[in-house]
Amino acid sequence: MRYLPLTDANRQEMLSAIGVSKIDDLFSDVPAGALLDKPVDLPHGKSEMEVEREMASLAKRNISTGTVPSFLGTGAYRHHVPATVDYVIQRGEFLTAYTPYQPEIAQGTLQALFEFQTQVALLTGMDVANASLYDGATATAEAALMANRVTRREKILASGNLHPHYAGTVDTLARQTGFTFKGSSPSPAGSDIAALKDQIDSETSAVIVQYPDIFGHIVDFTSLAEAAHAAGALLIVVTTEIVSLGAIKAPGSMGADIAVAEGQSIGNALNFGGPHVGLFACREKLIRQMPGRLCGETVDAEGRRGFVLTLSTREQHIRRAKATSNICTNAGLCALAFTVHMTLLGETGFKELAALNHARASQLVDRLIEIPGVELLTPAFFNEFAVRLPKKAAEVVQVMADSGVLGGVPASRLWPSSDLNDILIIAATETNTDADIDALVNALEGALA
Amino acid sequence: MTDILFSEEHEWVRVDGDVATCGISEYAQVQLGDVVFVDLPTLGAEVNKDDDCAVVESVKAASDVYAPVSGEVIEINEALETDPGLVNSDAQGDGWFFKVKISDASELEGLMDEAAYAKFCKG
Amino acid sequence: MLKDGRPTRPLPANDSGEPFATFTGSRALEQDEPLIFEMDSPGAVGVDLPTKVAAKTRLGDLARQEKVGLPSLAEPTVVRHYTRISRLNYGIDTGLFPLGSCTMKHNPRLNERMARLPGFADLHPMQPVSTIQGALALMQHLKNWLSVLTGMPGVALPPGAGAHGELCGMMAIKAALNSRGDGEKRRRVLAPASAHGTNPATAAMLGYQVDEIPENDRGRVDLEAFKAMLGEDVAGIMLTNPNTCGVFENDIRAIADAIHDIGGFFYCDGANFNAIVGRVRPGDLGVDAMHINLHKTFSTPHGGGGPGAGPVVFSEALAPFAPIPWIVGDDETGFDLIESSDQGATTSFGRMKGFHGQMGMFTRALTYILSHGSDGLMQASGDAVLAANYVKARLQDVMSAPFGDGPCMHEALFDESFLKDTGITTLDFAKAMIDEGYHPMTMYFPLVVKGAMLIEPTESESKESLDKFIDCLRFLAEEAKNRNVERFQQAPRFAPRRRLDETQAARKPILRWRPNVQELQAAE
């Protein structure tokens, strides 16, 4: 087996040094009958070529977004990732490193994390950010738990226009850990911020809103932040398309206390939904209640600047049952990919990328609203918007897929038992060309005809 | 002000009238090493003897601090927020944690004096 | 002959033998590299985007006016920056990485190539199911492997890493107890003192009281003490096996029977499954739920701290409570996704993550599994255990192994008693290994052993590599015995950084770059 350097002769020598005759002797603590005497009944090892063939045959049974006009969003977005990003993250020094517990020989990972934390804080307009969480949904759940710790209250309110996977993740934790989670029904035609304000009371620990929301609406939530703060509650702002923050106001500038986001759009492939990278930022005064790893600046014994994981007493390996979160492994390499891509973009590139995304989506809207029966529900949006169709959206999407166009996500996929059957959520990014837009318009016209 | 008293969990108490000033012992701070953060109780909170009411963190450990007596927290040492190192430099003086208005003075009876505590630490 | 000779290398700067301080602060290949924020070159750009598109602006009144504050750098600068800082890192590709409990084995590059096939990497999670049949097939294949290897019928793929898997397993247990009306009274979870910190953190998150089970003098659960802790209020046990002391819990069946007898469940922390994969099926031992760290056992890269993946295998009793989404179907009928409890997953405890799990890790893990096959996996776990026992056998006379009597599993545990009275700590010893070109072993874990050193050599090391490592540790142990404290207390001397001041980092946390801080420092 190509990954195993020991030869049979080596094994024999080692067994005699240990003083046993065969490897099975080392498993003498395994209860009788539980030690298998032959491999389980599945295929034996394969050559590199054979494995490639087998995996490629599975890959071929999928339609890749890179091969057809594709307009899917709702929390995962296809963007162009520069070749440099993949080069950097495939360097063995990054790829095969562990969590930087030995800072003297992990400054590469640590410095990149420090840059990552700074970038995330800048994008969200918050004071500090952590070194990443699994994804946007779990980051939202961690934010809810953190708000409960900070306010010592146990009631979380959420907008109905929060991604249902995110709401579901918080709801699961609420039911299992015993706090109250009050979600709302989705409102595709507009934001439900006014209704949320009315629900805030003295028990509320936080209000969660998505920005841009699941249908694409962008609204100013400054007044919601004020209402939450007046009641002693926090405002958690969730962003599933981080590129949007190059075009629209930062959550921090509208009064968010915790800003969480899905960072996949920058540096990371769609990967069928994972691994992605959860971004988590907050106000400075809350840092000791933050979940996850934090990288901090310090000096070494010679006075040279260096970086370490810090405030680790919040974490499970020190605090055990009293930790702020049970998280251990996070999304280090995805965070590195994010950082490298964001560094390549820089101030100008990031804003231009955001502008291009918005322009493509706006251009697409101009075309779609010309189609009879298609109604735009989101007057203000970034790169994703919702339309009402004169037919069931899931059926329309299937017809378009059969003709080779991935034309959006039907709301019924996200809320199967809702009455949102006629709503389609469409995203456009810099990867979409004029020809893609023509193809979508044609496919939609065809499907509606 | 009375002499200093100690608990088996390495907290100390100095009583002045019905007010007890509490902190962690010199012995405890040496065990912890460099203190980096102290999480103090909320002002006005009612604490019961032996409740965990504060947390003291060094780089590698976080330790709960138990209330040596019951009562209402009437003052906390805000200086620890900016300078947690006070716990190392003067654990039984400037590095105090909080003051409690004692609700049951009889609880003090179970605590050790300096000599008994020194003996306790030697174990 | 020229009497003085020509120097072939620069003379030391001073009597102590310290090298010159260089002008740049760099040391040859080891470059001193600023932060990207200190390299800002306004006007430079690292990407060229397609030409602008003219379209109506529809941002309401929310356009971002203020600067983000990102620095501007051209592509060559960025490539060099990250290449330079990468060289300050130690990875598996650099050398032997004996970090116990973390399984730093070889990361095959084939796995990376397969994960990047556009047919996997460029799939959107919300594509119509008809367009993702290959992805769902891959997930079913992986589930089947995990199920057969563990002897457990249910598999949940969503968890994002080990700790998330623990949460998944414990939530399923809680849901199962609730469904039989037992949830309210069962408030305790038992876990050994040697457990990973994530175990008590997970149980506490779910509101359980966590009671520590004592160890016996063989580094295993004290069976009698454990039985005495059992009662109708116990929800379950969380136990790592092979355990964190690197030994197999030989009473595991009795433990499983005892917990089942009182109506509780057995959660197994599968972080160390790599020691027994292909040889022992946890399902045969009475386990009800176990997570598998794909980034350990199946070698998806650790990446400096993730991403990982922590699928959970379930017994028949717990399988119905698995998180959504569920994948159903087979190669004949085609595959489907059940993404909501409304679609029939009524027993599921719910959702715990966006979308469908860490697909990029599934492709890597399956590639690794297919490459090994059932025979190769059996050989891999055997070699891992062999290597650890070899290390233990050859070091036991100079270092102290607390539970050294019987064989260990995939990791060899030592304690600090061989350093007694030398003035050298486990930390010092570990840092001296850095100077020798090794990544240190896991230190001070498990907590039940004083000054623990947990060495996991993995199956990826050749015998020559193991011998050299062993010789090095023997040398260091000898140096310690001779009280050559300088070598240890000053270590590391040759790493990119000397020991870092963690106290300062924690007392006055600086968690991001800020321009004003730099300016203030300059002004001082």
Side-chain angles (χ1 to χ4, degrees):
Chain A
M1 207 282 134
R2 58 189 175 276
Y3 303 146
L4 302 175
L6 294 181
T7 63
D8 282 340
N10 290 152
R11 291 185 183 110
Q12 274 316 317
E13 284 175 76
M14 290 163 72
L15 287 167
S16 8
I18 297 163
V20 295
S21 60
K22 54 185 191 304
I23 286 180
D24 272 0
D25 295 346
L26 300 171
F27 289 85
S28 53
D29 285 320
V30 176
L35 191 63
L36 303 178
D37 55 7
K38 59 177 194 311
V40 296
D41 190 17
L42 282 168
H44 282 204
K46 291 191 171 81
S47 70
E48 187 157 330
M49 272 190 297
E50 289 169 299
V51 175
E52 275 188 352
R53 219 173 280 145
E54 189 165 340
M55 295 298 286
S57 77
L58 287 169
K60 263 186 230 143
R61 289 162 64 185
N62 301 316
I63 294 177
S64 157
T65 57
T67 59
V68 293
S70 168
F71 296 88
L72 305 172
T74 64
Y77 303 85
R78 180 163 180 266
H79 291 284
H80 178 257
V81 178
T84 298
V85 174
D86 210 34
Y87 153 74
V88 171
I89 68 167
Q90 288 216 60
R91 282 189 67 91
E93 297 93 330
F94 285 128
L95 185 79
T96 73
Y98 195 69
T99 303
Y101 288 140
Q102 298 290 339
E104 299 90 343
I105 48 172
Q107 286 298 306
T109 295
L110 286 161
Q111 182 167 340
L113 286 178
F114 192 78
E115 293 174 351
F116 170 81
Q117 290 176 181
T118 307
Q119 288 172 335
V120 173
L122 289 169
L123 290 169
T124 53
M126 305 300 288
D127 297 325
V128 287
N130 76 6
S132 82
L133 296 168
Y134 307 129
D135 67 358
T138 51
T140 304
E142 290 283 3
L145 291 173
M146 174 167 150
N148 289 345
R149 286 193 298 274
V150 169
T151 60
R152 301 185 191 199
R153 299 177 183 176
E154 297 199 320
K155 186 166 131 192
I156 301 283
L157 306 178
S159 156
N161 290 1
L162 173 65
H163 195 302
H165 290 182
Y166 290 43
T169 303
V170 183
D171 181 52
T172 299
L173 270 187
R175 282 185 286 107
Q176 291 264 346
T177 70
F179 66 89
T180 305
F181 175 71
K182 213 165 156 285
S184 317
S185 305
S187 57
S191 171
D192 57 356
I193 280 185
L196 274 174
K197 263 188 231 169
D198 295 340
Q199 291 179 38
I200 299 173
D201 60 23
S202 60
E203 317 255 278
T204 307
S205 64
V207 185
I208 307 177
V209 290
Q210 186 175 324
Y211 168 81
D213 75 21
I214 185 74
F215 298 103
H217 294 287
I218 45 176
V219 288
D220 192 327
F221 47 77
T222 308
S223 65
L224 180 65
E226 283 161 4
H229 296 158
L234 305 185
L235 179 69
I236 298 169
V237 176
V238 178
T239 299
T240 63
E241 170 52 295
I242 193 70
V243 175
S244 66
L245 299 186
I248 56 175
K249 280 186 185 175
S253 69
M254 294 192 228
D257 298 285
I258 304 174
V260 299
E262 172 53 65
Q264 170 269 326
S265 284
I266 297 294
N268 288 277
L270 288 165
N271 282 327
F272 195 49
H276 288 177
V277 50
L279 315 183
F280 192 105
C282 69
R283 305 249 173 244
E284 183 117 43
K285 61 173 199 255
L286 305 178
I287 57 173
R288 296 212 179 242
Q289 293 298 337
M290 277 178 104
R293 294 196 172 118
L294 289 167
C295 170
E297 182 184 320
T298 186
V299 291
D300 78 351
E302 291 175 357
R304 298 204 288 166
R305 177 169 70 183
F307 303 92
V308 292
L309 291 182
T310 191
L311 303 183
S312 57
T313 43
R314 301 162 298 112
E315 292 186 68
Q316 47 76 25
H317 62 280
I318 308 275
R319 299 227 61 189
R320 300 177 76 83
K322 288 186 172 174
T324 53
S325 162
N326 77 338
I327 194 165
C328 182
T329 293
N330 51 25
L333 204 66
C334 300
L336 176 66
F338 178 98
T339 293
V340 177
H341 191 182
M342 194 56 83
T343 303
L344 286 165
L345 287 164
E347 183 78 20
T348 317
F350 183 56
K351 287 201 154 175
E352 278 180 5
L353 175 68
L356 188 54
N357 271 261
H358 181 58
R360 278 296 183 200
S362 186
Q363 191 188 17
L364 178 58
V365 161
D366 283 338
R367 297 282 302 279
L368 294 180
I369 54 179
E370 297 294 312
I371 301 174
V374 176
E375 178 198 352
L376 178 70
L377 299 176
T378 44
F381 59 88
F382 170 61
N383 69 350
E384 186 163 26
F385 55 88
V387 290
R388 197 185 296 281
L389 302 179
K391 273 190 177 178
K392 282 191 176 168
E395 288 168 11
V396 171
V397 162
Q398 189 62 52
V399 170
M400 291 196 286
D402 293 342
S403 72
V405 174
L406 297 173
V409 179
S412 58
R413 175 91 184 259
L414 295 163
W415 296 276
S417 54
S418 71
D419 54 0
L420 306 176
N421 290 335
D422 53 354
I423 293 180
L424 181 62
I425 303 167
I426 301 173
T429 72
E430 79 285 359
T431 61
N432 293 118
T433 61
D434 290 342
D436 287 349
I437 289 175
D438 289 343
L440 175 60
V441 171
N442 288 338
L444 188 58
E445 279 172 342
L448 292 178
Chain B
M1 194 180 272
T2 60
D3 288 337
I4 191 163
L5 297 170
F6 295 89
S7 73
E8 292 191 1
E9 302 289 347
H10 306 286
E11 291 88 16
W12 59 262
V13 186
R14 263 199 193 92
V15 181
D16 187 5
D18 62 351
V19 174
T21 305
C22 310
I24 65 163
S25 72
E26 176 64 21
Y27 174 85
Q29 76 80 12
V30 170
Q31 298 295 309
L32 280 171
D34 290 345
V35 170
V36 297
F37 182 66
V38 182
D39 191 11
L40 294 168
T42 328
L43 215 51
E46 286 290 338
V47 296
N48 293 314
K49 183 176 163 66
D50 298 335
D51 277 0
D52 50 330
C53 61
V55 181
V56 55
E57 298 187 7
S58 65
V59 175
K60 291 295 177 200
S63 306
D64 292 322
V65 176
Y66 304 98
V69 285
S70 307
E72 183 195 342
V73 177
I74 54 167
E75 200 178 334
I76 55 173
N77 187 0
E78 283 167 6
L80 295 181
E81 269 180 34
T82 49
D83 189 6
L86 284 173
V87 179
N88 295 116
S89 57
D90 192 8
Q92 292 168 204
D94 289 346
W96 62 277
F97 280 29
F98 53 87
K99 293 184 183 180
V100 173
K101 189 168 183 199
I102 301 171
S103 59
D104 180 2
S106 70
E107 286 174 353
L108 296 166
E109 284 163 22
L111 300 174
M112 292 172 272
D113 63 17
E114 202 149 9
Y117 179 66
K119 206 174 156 200
F120 172 78
C121 289
K122 278 190 184 150
Chain C
M1 190 178 103
L2 180 63
K3 193 164 154 248
D4 292 336
R6 276 186 296 273
T8 53
R9 60 176 118 169
L11 294 169
N14 52 43
D15 296 342
S16 71
E18 286 295 313
F20 292 105
T22 58
F23 173 75
T24 55
S26 299
R27 297 174 184 180
L29 290 177
E30 184 194 302
Q31 307 276 341
D32 199 55
E33 186 67 5
L35 292 162
I36 50 169
F37 304 96
E38 297 156 351
M39 301 164 72
D40 187 17
S41 172
V45 66
V47 290
D48 293 313
L49 290 164
T51 340
K52 285 194 184 113
V53 174
K56 190 176 158 193
T57 299
R58 291 179 159 104
L59 296 173
D61 53 359
L62 289 168
R64 186 169 187 156
Q65 308 295 349
E66 74 274 29
K67 283 188 87 171
V68 178
L70 298 167
S72 300
L73 288 77
E75 185 181 295
T77 319
V78 177
V79 168
R80 189 173 286 163
H81 173 75
Y82 288 104
T83 303
R84 284 177 166 199
I85 67 170
S86 80
R87 297 174 62 99
L88 308 178
N89 264 8
Y90 194 101
I92 301 168
D93 288 355
T94 318
L96 195 150
F97 207 130
L99 198 62
S101 208
C102 300
T103 314
M104 301 302 281
K105 59 164 92 171
H106 174 56
N107 296 150
R109 288 312 198 277
L110 176 64
N111 304 355
E112 297 303 307
R113 184 189 280 177
M114 294 302 97
R116 285 168 173 78
L117 289 174
F120 298 132
D122 295 340
L123 285 193
H124 191 284
M126 301 307 274
Q127 285 181 221
V129 167
S130 64
T131 67
I132 51 170
Q133 288 296 302
L136 299 179
L138 183 144
M139 289 160 90
Q140 281 295 50
H141 289 184
L142 179 64
K143 281 171 65 181
N144 185 49
W145 271 97
L146 298 181
S147 172
V148 172
L149 286 169
T150 57
M152 298 182 63
V155 184
L157 292 179
H164 211 215
E166 288 175 33
L167 188 63
C168 172
M170 292 306 289
M171 291 200 291
I173 287 172
K174 197 168 179 180
L177 292 172
N178 284 341
S179 82
R180 66 183 200 211
D182 223 7
E184 285 300 315
K185 69 172 190 189
R186 294 188 184 265
R187 303 308 314 150
R188 292 164 63 215
V189 165
L190 311 181
S194 62
H196 293 116
T198 48
N199 293 177
T202 301
M205 217 171 151
L206 297 178
Y208 288 112
Q209 176 190 325
V210 187
D211 291 339
E212 277 189 3
I213 312 168
E215 255 82 26
N216 63 22
D217 55 10
R218 298 178 59 242
R220 289 153 170 102
V221 165
D222 182 330
L223 187 60
E224 292 316 308
F226 164 65
K227 284 183 176 167
M229 295 170 80
L230 291 172
E232 297 276 291
D233 60 344
V234 171
I237 180 175
M238 296 183 84
L239 181 66
T240 310
N241 190 42
N243 72 22
T244 58
C245 296
V247 293
F248 197 94
E249 292 283 353
N250 52 335
D251 286 329
I252 188 158
R253 276 193 172 139
I255 293 169
D257 289 346
I259 195 80
H260 291 150
D261 282 349
I262 56 112
F265 287 101
F266 183 176
Y267 185 84
C268 182
D269 179 329
N272 294 338
F273 185 54
N274 59 303
I276 56 172
V277 61
R279 291 176 175 268
V280 180
R281 290 179 300 217
D284 294 344
L285 303 170
V287 168
D288 294 298
M290 180 181 89
H291 75 266
I292 299 169
N293 305 72
L294 295 186
H295 48 291
K296 294 180 181 177
T297 301
F298 300 118
S299 189
T300 68
H302 285 75
V312 178
V313 288
F314 287 118
S315 61
E316 207 74 67
L318 290 181
F321 304 98
I324 46 174
W326 291 357
I327 303 156
V328 294
D330 55 41
D331 282 312
E332 304 275 299
T333 60
F335 300 95
D336 202 2
L337 268 171
I338 297 179
E339 295 173 287
S340 155
S341 54
D342 308 343
Q343 294 166 305
T346 48
T347 50
S348 167
F349 69 68
R351 178 172 278 283
M352 60 183 307
K353 194 176 177 305
F355 305 120
H356 326 305
Q358 306 281 70
M359 179 66 172
M361 301 297 115
F362 304 155
T363 48
R364 288 172 176 87
L366 187 65
T367 303
Y368 179 89
I369 288 171
L370 294 176
S371 297
H372 279 80
S374 56
D375 55 336
L377 291 171
M378 190 179 211
Q379 186 68 63
S381 56
D383 282 1
V385 170
L386 176 64
N389 277 282
Y390 182 65
V391 167
K392 185 172 76 124
R394 284 208 48 210
L395 287 176
Q396 214 162 356
D397 58 329
V398 292
M399 290 169 68
S400 35
F403 311 120
D405 292 348
C408 63
M409 288 284 102
H410 61 302
E411 48 197 4
L413 176 63
F414 298 94
D415 65 18
E416 66 184 5
S417 52
F418 76 101
L419 296 173
K420 196 168 183 283
D421 299 330
T422 61
I424 296 161
T425 64
T426 289
L427 180 76
D428 298 331
F429 194 83
K431 297 296 183 193
M433 288 170 66
I434 293 178
D435 279 339
E436 297 290 342
Y438 290 110
H439 193 283
M441 70 291 263
T442 291
M443 305 177 289
Y444 301 104
F445 181 85
L447 306 178
V448 293
V449 171
K450 276 203 126 183
M453 305 181 197
L454 191 60
I455 299 179
E456 180 175 6
T458 83
E459 69 273 22
S460 302
E461 298 303 321
S462 67
K463 180 163 179 295
E464 292 71 24
S465 165
L466 291 171
D467 282 333
K468 191 172 166 192
F469 173 68
I470 289 163
D471 291 344
C472 172
L473 290 197
R474 293 188 71 88
F475 167 78
L476 288 178
E478 188 64 29
E479 284 284 283
K481 215 156 269 165
N482 296 337
R483 316 245 166 139
N484 193 349
V485 293
E486 179 108 333
R487 175 185 293 279
F488 297 92
Q489 288 173 350
Q490 294 299 317
R493 305 173 80 97
F494 307 131
R497 286 291 179 277
R498 303 291 295 273
R499 288 194 204 182
L500 289 134
D501 187 345
E502 300 196 27
T503 303
Q504 180 185 321
R507 278 188 181 164
K508 302 237 180 303
I510 304 173
L511 304 178
R512 61 175 285 192
W513 181 83
R514 274 195 172 90
N516 55 346
V517 173
Q518 316 296 314
E519 280 161 21
L520 285 175
Q521 281 174 348
E524 271 170 16

